Amino acid sequence: MDSRRYELMHKDIAVALIEFDDEGKLTGAPEVFNEEHLPPRARRSRPDFSRWWADRAIPNTRKELNLFLSVNNIASTGDYLIDNLGLSLSDTYWIRPENSSLMWKDVNLYENSFAGKMSVSRHSGEFERISFSVTYSPDASTGGELPKWWVIENGIRYLVKGNEGGTSQQSRNEVFASEIHKAQGWSNYASYTLVRLPDGRTGCRCSAFTSPEKEFISAWELVGRKDFAKDEPFRENFINACISGGLTRDEVVKQLDYMSLSDFLIANTDRHLNNFGILRNPDTLEFISMAPLFDSGNSMCYRNLENISFSYSVNERTSGFYMSFRGWLEHVSDFSVLDVDMLPDDDIFMDIYPDKAFPQSVPRWLLSVYHRHIEFIRQMQSGKSFYDVQKILC
């Protein structure tokens, strides 16, 4: 079995010497040069280090991935990641071949151009296909199951996302979530807009919220598998980790409360621990702020358009700290962090979810669910208990 040796880099800081087998997996024990600059998860154990690297690659469940790898003669997603030096538009980690003279300025995706799958224009409706290169592309490290890719337009890095199914609902959900945050005056979110994709369907995009001075560290990075195995209180552990990094308890709790309520409004079931976190200065390692809210596409009952009720969405299984919306809501400290009188009106809702894009009556049905969730929060804000509100509305 062949092996390849690389330095794990944090910008221009050599962090560890690592070795890959011929399947692109980490092998052996890394030789650590700078433990402080290791990814938080990679500090915990050798398996966590390996898992951190494996999770950096595109998931094998990505649609049409096998065809892409075959056409481009790439053995695995791990090899694809190595071919692209592990570069990402989420953080400033990368790998450098042993004895190479490459520097961060030579390869980073924030300041250098990169090959993208497609370029997208919101205005002209024209989509210019460009050649796809396996060299230094952010797509190799862009997670998630939906089709997605990065493009550069007027110097701005945009993530473009597709959907499951023909209604483009996940993209519409992202845009509606953005409308909620905008109406609330909540500034800490990634703003999504609708775009037409090369196949003629509707997708969405948002600009990168990271930079060479700000990297994303997920909640999973901060709490990790060890806490999960011990059934530790994830929420409190996450809050304490944020405080240890320099954030205040008030700002962390406020963001979590707002996230919980806005997710409930749109029945977002996918707030897993890689879908929120903090922004960190990669040079000083100090936490800057909570990361903007992003990735709200798996919401509005997108897989259950024929089987929804209020009780269904309250008790629906969710990801992250708690296994249902009820768990998230029962841990909200301050329901007033979201103003139910400052939300997008029905006309905005129907513009984003037009009748022509869905089976008959679905948009009106989703709108009624949305209104019931608003009323639930309103009742909780008036001082009623979770149990009493359920009796009234269910």
Side-chain angles (χ1 to χ4, degrees), residues 109-126:
L109 303 173
Y110 296 102
E111 298 164 317
N112 294 289
S113 61
F114 52 78
K117 188 176 182 181
M118 303 173 188
S119 61
V120 177
S121 171
R122 181 173 171 79
H123 308 291
S124 68
E126 296 296 325

Side-chain angles (χ1 to χ4, degrees), residues 121-142:
S121 171
R122 181 173 171 79
H123 308 291
S124 68
E126 296 296 325
F127 299 87
E128 178 188 2
R129 292 179 178 272
I130 60 177
S131 61
F132 193 87
S133 170
V134 297
T135 304
Y136 307 161
S137 169
D139 297 344
S141 59
T142 303

Side-chain angles (χ1 to χ4, degrees), residues 13 25 47 76 274 368:
I13 296 175
K25 297 178 181 178
S76 66
N274 282 319
S368 69

Side-chain angles (χ1 to χ4, degrees), residues 323-352:
M323 302 307 290
S324 69
F325 285 119
R326 178 166 187 158
W328 285 92
L329 292 171
E330 287 179 333
H331 289 84
V332 169
S333 302
D334 180 10
F335 274 84
S336 70
V337 72
L338 187 143
D339 188 344
V340 292
D341 294 320
M342 298 290 290
L343 289 169
D345 61 30
D346 291 0
D347 288 340
I348 292 176
F349 186 98
M350 295 306 297
D351 283 344
I352 295 172

Side-chain angles (χ1 to χ4, degrees), residues 25-41:
K25 297 178 181 178
L26 280 176
T27 181
E31 181 183 347
V32 177
F33 307 136
N34 190 317
E35 185 169 352
E36 186 180 24
H37 278 266
L38 279 172
R41 184 177 175 187

